[in-house]
Amino acid sequence: MLPVNRPQDCCYYDERLRMTPTIDPNRLWQSLMDMAEIGPTPEGGSCRLALTPEDAAARALFLRWCQPLALRHQQDAIGNMFLRRPGSDTAAPAVAFGSHLDTVPTGGRFDGIVGVLAGLEVLRALHEAGVTTKAPLELVNWMNEEGSRFRPAMMGSRVAAGELPLAAALAITDDDGVSVGRALADSGQAGPLAPAPRDWSAWLELHIEQGPVMEATGVEIGIVVGTMHARYFQLTITGEPSHVGPTEMNRRHDSLAAAAEVILAVEQIALAAEPNGRASTSWIVNTPNARGNVPHITRLHCDVRHNSADTAIEMETSLRQAMSDIAQRRGVRIDIDPYATFGPIVFDIGLGALLHRKAADRQLSTRDMIAAAGHDSMLMAPLVPSAMLFIPSVAGITHNPKEFSTKQQVAHGAQLLLDAVLELAQH
Ligand code: GLV
Ligand code: MN
Ligand code: MN
């Protein structure tokens, strides 16, 4: 039998968190707020692009917090961090959980971070309660989930899953020409372990919803049953250099003007696929980007995504058709590099049922959800029974300093993670 405690902190009380072992909502909240001070942005968010000094500082703080818990720290050559708590059965595969500490440039305090720090809180609570699970537990911080600095997103989990060869990942460069390999070395994050699938019995990721559905429906926990299918592209539009004055309008081959049409076509493709279609152009580099020059090379990154993989593929077909029309009409060339995809994933049904049951034990309301954003769990799902749980995002705001979930919402998610981990690790 596990010991029965009262919540230690009088400043926070929720009847539903009375059964033990219990996470400490205030300690978890404070860790989230302390982590947000690394790479702070003026509007109250965080900017910790992968393998920058800010990311390295976040990782160091995380390791400092892990220190009193006597965990075994392992790190692989792509910078994924694994913190292992031994179980009583040394032969049992581990129950694993976590997320990512890197952010987008306009990052908030919760996306990814809540999954890692709630995992830390699970380990802290077990440590405090003196509970040894049968199976070992493993807490993970994946490298470069966001893909803001180095594309593609979910890079660390992609490499660990064998979807992206390590050598290819190490050679990828950021917009300043710095390679992943160089950045790993400079930030001290290249570990000795060969990236590979690990010996896990289950993978769980707690994440914020990043959308408005849970708040609108008053649901406390989202059980993620599956994900959208997304297709990522780099487009290169090549025109001809010329002068912005003497060159008559009908003699120009302006790559930036063509890009403007492509960007609007991408948006139109998503609007035509509402409510479940999404498409965005999120990155642009224009050459020579000099006053006086009609631009002649413009590069874009865009993606299309939909609940239905077939529709996502049709969206790509529409994109290719629009590009071909624009290229022909404007006398430019448009090359497309479909460099990555994710999903569609169906998460483990048994784990989903376990999360529903554990939520019911805590009287937390649930609904099944489909994830529209990329997550490392998508890379784990083909390898190990995997599940994700969402907590609400206030007003659905994300990738924005205003991103917010309440202390209570975070606590509910972390407690449910602990409850699920405990059950999985005792069998
Ligand atoms: C990555 O996080 C994505 O959703 O593209
Ligand atoms: Mn995330
Ligand atoms: Mn994100």
Side-chain angles (χ1 to χ4, degrees), residues 232-255:
Y232 295 174
F233 309 104
Q234 175 169 312
L235 310 182
T236 304
I237 306 175
T238 309
E240 197 172 75
S242 57
H243 193 301
V244 294
T247 314
E248 296 96 325
M249 297 309 287
N250 64 2
R251 280 207 299 122
R252 296 179 184 207
H253 302 284
D254 180 336
S255 60

Side-chain angles (χ1 to χ4, degrees), residues 185-197:
D186 288 351
S187 61
Q189 296 303 320
L193 222 62

Side-chain angles (χ1 to χ4, degrees), residues 208-226:
I208 57 168
E209 181 199 347
Q210 305 183 276
V213 175
M214 293 174 66
E215 185 177 81
T217 52
V219 165
E220 292 163 304
I221 298 289
I223 312 291
V224 187
V225 294

Side-chain angles (χ1 to χ4, degrees), residues 23-33 117-118 121 410-411 414:
I23 62 107
D24 179 338
N26 293 311
R27 177 172 57 194
L28 171 52
W29 187 259
Q30 193 56 51
S31 297
L32 282 165
M33 297 305 111
L117 298 187
E121 181 55 37
V410 170

